[in-house]
Amino acid sequence: MAEKKYYIRVSNGLVEVSPEIYREYYRFNRKMRTIEEKDLRNGVISYNSFDNDESLGEEIITDPFASSVEETAISNLMVSKLRYCLTFLSNEEKDLIHAIFYDQISETEIGKFLGISQKAVNKRKKKILHKLQKSINR
């Protein structure tokens, strides 16, 4: 007696496969149909269902963490204005701001380097930031 042959349809043609592949192929197809039936029953809608000739449904997904164009523009203007205002600081003030905010050196470490207390460094920082804030708000 001849052994049973198994086929699956691939691109409008039949391909002979082993019994294991045949079973897995149809098991997977049944699993996918079950998921689709469950989604249909529960009212789940795929973004692909919104596809049309002009756009894909996935394009309507918004990134909740992305900045709006307006926020980006305002941020860029504020950065430009801040850079401009930084030019009016003395070299010592610029060095202190750079060390704290760019190099991320602690106020305590800066104080030890300058031979002053951390509170004195903090007071200088606040004075500089207040000066920058006044310049920016003009």
Side-chain angles (χ1 to χ4, degrees):
M1 181 169 131
E3 193 174 311
K4 185 175 179 181
K5 294 185 178 188
Y6 296 91
Y7 298 92
I8 58 173
R9 184 167 302 282
V10 178
S11 301
N12 298 327
L14 293 176
V15 176
E16 186 175 350
V17 295
S18 70
E20 294 83 20
I21 291 179
Y22 180 83
R23 272 193 304 277
E24 281 305 312
Y25 177 78
Y26 282 99
R27 191 176 293 151
F28 177 77
N29 279 348
R30 182 62 202 139
K31 186 176 183 178
M32 293 308 294
R33 277 198 319 269
T34 301
I35 291 171
E36 288 171 2
E37 290 166 1
K38 200 183 237 185
D39 287 349
L40 186 62
R41 228 180 12 253
N42 294 318
V44 175
I45 299 173
S46 165
Y47 283 111
N48 295 340
S49 63
F50 295 108
D51 289 356
N52 58 40
D53 294 337
E54 297 161 9
S55 66
L56 300 175
E58 294 171 353
E59 293 173 351
I60 65 172
I61 301 171
T62 58
D63 182 358
F65 302 109
S67 303
S68 68
V69 175
E70 294 84 7
E71 289 171 339
T72 303
I74 291 169
S75 178
N76 288 341
L77 286 171
M78 292 301 291
V79 168
S80 296
K81 196 167 187 180
L82 176 61
R83 285 190 178 133
Y84 176 72
C85 291
L86 284 170
T87 63
F88 296 110
L89 297 179
S90 69
N91 286 338
E92 294 82 21
E93 291 172 328
K94 286 179 193 174
D95 290 343
L96 183 65
I97 292 298
H98 194 276
I100 293 172
F101 294 105
Y102 294 98
D103 297 335
Q104 296 182 342
I105 300 172
S106 72
E107 292 177 2
T108 304
E109 291 177 57
I110 294 170
K112 286 179 185 175
F113 179 76
L114 296 176
I116 58 177
S117 69
Q118 177 272 327
K119 283 188 175 187
V121 173
N122 185 273
K123 190 172 181 177
R124 287 183 187 183
K125 177 186 81 170
K126 285 182 179 180
K127 184 178 173 186
I128 296 167
L129 291 177
H130 183 71
K131 184 176 177 179
L132 283 172
Q133 188 175 21
K134 280 176 45 180
S135 297
I136 289 171
N137 291 332
R138 282 189 204 154

